[in-house]
């Protein structure tokens, strides 16, 4: 920043957004308030509750509130799901302990996907330079993908077929992870192919 810019910035006051006027509250609920409140109670008792050990009970509760869940799905303790009516899970998926699916928009999980412990998937963000209005984008996780422990996936992300997200990796909004890739720290990049091409019959 040069001297002229310094002079211009001297009297500049960084703005603060009044959150009491931020639009978007309840717009993403998708159900009447009574259903949302009832779901919050059911989630606490039957989904998140570490003393409730039955995956079948969790799956049944999620389905009862509109989640589309395939066969052979395991959902472990301390899982959280914001709105089950925005959730689709294919067959033979594993949802690890403490996973949090904050789905104010659609989250579609295909077959044979692993969501490991403490992974956070969120579809929501805010208009940070305007009025902090709620912005939501769907998250798509294709078949065979693995989101390793404590990874974070933000709105608009598509994780490709059989891709692996390494532990503690943050996938930025609107990112597409190529299929058959392993991505992770220190930056979002493809480190190698999961399955060598020669094993896939490539010439």
């Amino acid at each position: 920043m040069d001297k002229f810019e310094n002079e211009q910035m001297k009297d500049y006051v960084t703005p603060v957004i009044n959150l009491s006027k931020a639009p978007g509250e309840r717009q993403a609920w998708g159900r009447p308030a009574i259903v949302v409140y009832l779901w919050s109670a059911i989630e606490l008792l039957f989904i998140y509750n570490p003393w409730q050990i039955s995956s079948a009970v969790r799956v049944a509760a999620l389905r009862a509130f509109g989640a589309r869940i395939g066969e052979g799905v395991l959902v472990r303790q301390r899982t959280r799901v914001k709105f089950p009516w925005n959730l689709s899970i294919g067959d033979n998926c594993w949802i690890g302990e403490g996973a949090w699916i904050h789905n104010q928009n659609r989250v579609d999980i295909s077959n044979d996907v692993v969501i490991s412990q403490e992974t956070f998937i969120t579809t929501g963000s805010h208009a940070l330079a305007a009025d902090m209005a709620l912005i939501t984008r769907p998250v798509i996780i294709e078949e065979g993908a693995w989101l390793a422990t404590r990874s974070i996936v933000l709105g608009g992300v598509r994780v490709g077929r059989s891709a692996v997200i390494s532990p503690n990796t943050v996938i930025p909004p609107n990112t597409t992870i190529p299929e058959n890739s392993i991505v992770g720290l220190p930056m979002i990049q493809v480190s190698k192919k999961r399955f060598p091409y020669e094993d896939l019959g490539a010439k």
Side-chain angles (χ1 to χ4, degrees):
M1 185 178 293
D2 59 28
K3 182 178 179 181
F4 176 75
E5 288 176 320
N6 275 327
E7 287 296 321
Q8 282 190 317
M9 294 294 292
K10 184 172 60 176
D11 298 322
Y12 177 78
V13 177
T14 300
V16 173
I17 297 170
N18 185 343
L19 296 182
S20 70
K21 298 180 180 178
E25 184 182 7
R26 300 191 179 191
Q27 289 181 1
W29 283 16
R31 292 292 187 278
I34 185 62
V35 176
V36 175
Y37 297 148
L38 180 59
W39 167 247
S40 296
I42 295 297
E43 181 193 37
L44 181 62
L45 290 172
F46 298 107
I47 310 298
Y48 182 79
N49 186 356
W51 293 96
Q52 199 291 98
I53 63 173
S54 172
S55 173
V57 169
R58 288 186 179 82
V59 169
L62 288 163
R63 285 173 175 160
F65 278 80
R68 297 169 298 283
I69 301 178
E71 299 301 316
V73 173
L74 295 177
V75 182
R76 299 300 187 189
Q77 295 96 321
R78 298 192 305 108
T79 297
R80 296 184 64 186
V81 177
K82 180 72 172 177
F83 298 138
W85 44 89
N86 286 338
L87 178 62
S88 175
I89 302 177
D91 297 333
N92 307 314
C93 293
W94 302 342
I95 311 298
E97 185 172 351
W100 186 4
I101 302 174
H102 192 268
N103 54 341
Q104 293 166 299
N105 202 320
R106 194 177 80 251
V107 171
D108 292 339
I109 301 171
S110 297
N111 300 332
D112 302 296
V113 167
V114 179
I115 309 295
S116 288
Q117 297 89 339
E118 307 288 347
T119 291
F120 179 51
I121 301 170
T122 181
T123 63
S125 187
H126 296 276
L128 77 167
D131 56 3
M132 288 296 285
L134 178 66
I135 299 171
T136 69
R137 301 179 182 91
V139 170
I140 311 297
I141 303 172
E142 297 181 2
E143 59 186 340
W146 175 18
L147 277 58
T149 185
R150 293 188 174 177
S151 55
I152 298 175
V153 174
L154 303 180
V157 166
R158 177 183 287 270
V159 180
R161 176 187 176 102
S162 291
V164 177
I165 310 302
S166 300
N168 290 306
T169 299
V170 179
I171 307 300
N174 303 315
T175 300
T176 296
I177 302 300
E179 67 177 48
N180 191 30
S181 301
I182 300 174
V183 299
L185 301 173
M187 61 182 64
I188 304 302
Q189 60 184 6
V190 177
S191 58
K192 64 179 180 178
K193 295 298 182 184
R194 182 178 182 181
F195 302 112
Y197 283 125
E198 55 267 26
D199 292 349
L200 303 176
K203 297 180 180 179

